[in-house]
Amino acid sequence: MLAVNPLGLLRTFASWCTFRKSQGRYIFVCGAPRSGTTLLKAILENHSRTCGPDFESTVIFGKYDLYRDQTLSHIGLEEETIRSILANSNDVVSFYDDVAEAVCESRGASVFVDKQPWPPRWYRLWYTTAKFEKARWIHLLR
């Protein structure tokens, strides 16, 4: 079992406290389990101008400690690149923007597709809709 790092929790909480809003181009897919969100995300990623993380989701907005080693290795970037981006980011919004930009750049795409964790906690949903105003949302119902 991994020990909780209080300093990491505090730094993550502080990184969520920002007035900054993202200017990035994103597509967020969300929906109930087994509703087709993973399939839709995969279909969208097959377009030449879109890309996404190697795993279903970056789960950046579901992490309680962004600073714990090896917590974001599933994104599709090398660990050193992720650590460098995290060290140079002032908040979670700029971190997400920089990660998405690095993934898009490595794959020659311009739009980042991500899946939001389910069930969406009200504060995560409020945060992502408030900070990513230019994002497009797709909510699947079954």
Side-chain angles (χ1 to χ4, degrees):
M1 183 173 172
L2 295 172
V4 174
N5 178 0
L7 182 58
L9 294 174
L10 183 61
R11 287 174 64 193
T12 300
F13 176 75
S15 74
W16 278 66
C17 300
T18 180
F19 292 108
R20 184 182 180 284
K21 293 188 179 191
S22 174
Q23 299 300 314
R25 296 181 61 196
Y26 303 107
I27 299 173
F28 292 125
V29 179
C30 63
R34 312 274 316 148
S35 64
T37 54
T38 303
L39 177 61
L40 179 60
K41 180 184 169 287
I43 291 169
L44 290 171
E45 287 177 340
N46 278 322
H47 190 278
S48 61
R49 292 185 3 206
T50 62
C51 68
D54 286 347
F55 190 65
E56 287 183 11
S57 173
T58 59
V59 294
I60 288 173
F61 301 107
K63 292 286 183 191
Y64 296 106
D65 186 355
L66 284 174
Y67 298 89
R68 182 178 290 164
D69 289 340
Q70 301 175 349
T71 56
L72 298 169
S73 59
H74 62 277
I75 291 176
L77 299 172
E78 293 182 17
E79 279 186 47
E80 188 164 317
T81 303
I82 294 171
R83 283 192 204 133
S84 172
I85 292 170
L86 187 57
N88 294 322
S89 298
N90 295 327
D91 52 55
V92 72
V93 174
S94 62
F95 175 62
Y96 190 86
D97 283 344
D98 294 343
V99 164
E101 182 180 337
V103 172
C104 285
E105 186 177 302
S106 71
R107 298 182 185 162
S110 59
V111 179
F112 191 73
V113 180
D114 198 4
K115 205 173 128 178
Q116 291 296 307
W118 191 267
R121 306 287 188 245
W122 68 268
Y123 54 88
R124 285 188 211 140
L125 188 58
W126 171 83
Y127 191 85
T128 52
T129 56
K131 301 297 180 183
F132 297 88
E133 292 177 333
K134 294 186 176 186
R136 302 289 184 208
W137 286 80
I138 301 173
H139 182 208
L140 292 179
L141 302 173
R142 59 176 162 142

